[in-house]
Each structure stands twice: as structure tokens, then as C-alpha cells.
Amino acid sequence: MNSAKTSGRAPSGRKRRRSLWLRVLPGISPKRRGFILAWWGFALTFGGMRLLTWLIHIDVAGVGDVQAGGVHLHHYVWGILLLAVVGAASLAERSARARAWLGLAYGVGLALVVDEAALLISLEDVYWDTEGGISIALAIALIAVVGSVLAFTRGRRASRGDPGDDG
């Protein structure tokens, strides 16, 4: 039984490299991996966007708004577009590798939208007003609740023979 599949080598004799997500999240089932990456993507993007918008707010040189034709494009626009792409791709792709990348992209897109939820609710730019705290509270609640669910539920551990675990 010295086949490429059992030896961990590609058919050409080269050693097969494990995917990035299998190296970063070893032992996590392929189905659960996408959820964990969505949570990470959400939390990191939310924090990053808050930092970036604060730098814009305090007028740090070289950091500014994204505009098209003189109109400020809020980052929820990019989030909605990313969520649309993720949704469409999810209809077509079912591999473990795709689930991981789509999970990460979903978390990023959702964070871009949730970070400006207060603006979407009031239809005014309240990002730095007291009303803008709704977005922060919502994002922190999502991070806490989803993180807790992920921590207190156990996914089936991935095994070498797990169907669809192509990384």
C-alpha cells in the first residue's frame, strides 16, 4: 500500500502540502472551519475598520475616505458587495477549501455592514455620534455571542479520512 494517498505524497512523488487552513486550524472539521474563520474575519475587520475610520477622523496624513465622483462611499457598500459575491459563490462551491475562504470573506463583509448599522438605521452619518454606539454594541454582542457558541459547542474533529477535507 504505497499509493500517493496513503503516503501523503502527490502522484509525481513530491510531498503534498497541507492547505493554509489545515495548518492554522488543525483538528477542526471542514464544516466548522468556515464558521471559525467567519468569526475571526468579523472581529478583525471590525477592529481594523474602527482603527482606520478613527485615523481618518483625526486627519492622519495619507489616510482618507474612499470617494467616487466626489461622493463618499461608506464601507457598508463594500460589505454588501462582498456578501453578494459570497452568497453567489456559496451556491456553486461546496469544497472544504471554498467553505474556509467563503467563511472568512463572509465575516469580513458582515463586519463592514454591521460597523455602519447605526448609519443604516438612522439614514444619517452618525458614526461618531452617540447614536453610532449602536454599531459598536451590535458588533461586540455578535463577537461575544458567536465566540461563546463556538467555544461551548464542539464540532466533529477532522480525521484524515474525512470526506471533503481537501483543505
Side-chain angles (χ1 to χ4, degrees):
M1 276 211 348
N2 193 11
S3 72
K5 191 170 188 171
T6 57
S7 69
R9 295 192 179 274
S12 65
R14 292 187 327 249
K15 187 163 174 109
R16 191 173 41 153
R17 254 183 75 196
R18 290 175 59 201
S19 84
L20 168 68
W21 302 124
L22 285 173
R23 291 187 309 253
V24 172
L25 297 170
I28 304 297
S29 74
K31 290 181 181 177
R32 189 171 178 84
R33 198 176 297 135
F35 290 107
I36 292 169
L37 289 167
W39 180 68
W40 279 1
F42 182 92
L44 293 174
T45 301
F46 174 74
M49 288 312 299
R50 280 283 152 175
L51 174 62
L52 179 62
T53 53
W54 177 70
L55 293 172
I56 293 168
H57 185 68
I58 64 170
D59 290 323
V60 170
V63 182
D65 291 330
V66 175
Q67 295 190 9
V71 176
H72 171 69
L73 295 176
H74 289 273
H75 50 272
Y76 72 81
V77 172
W78 307 111
I80 291 169
L81 290 173
L82 185 54
L83 289 174
V85 169
V86 167
S90 296
L91 294 173
E93 188 58 59
R94 298 275 195 269
S95 72
R97 182 179 307 244
R99 274 195 307 269
W101 284 107
L102 290 171
L104 182 63
Y106 177 80
V108 169
L110 189 61
L112 293 172
V113 173
V114 169
D115 187 43
E116 294 197 311
L119 181 150
L120 292 168
I121 292 167
S122 68
L123 297 178
E124 293 179 26
D125 195 352
V126 294
Y127 196 85
W128 294 108
D129 298 342
T130 305
E131 241 182 294
I134 293 170
S135 298
I136 297 170
L138 180 59
I140 291 172
L142 276 169
I143 292 167
V145 169
V146 174
S148 296
V149 168
L150 289 171
F152 292 118
T153 60
R154 300 196 101 194
R156 179 177 57 80
R157 293 184 60 87
S159 65
R160 287 184 187 252
D162 196 0
D165 192 9
D166 60 358

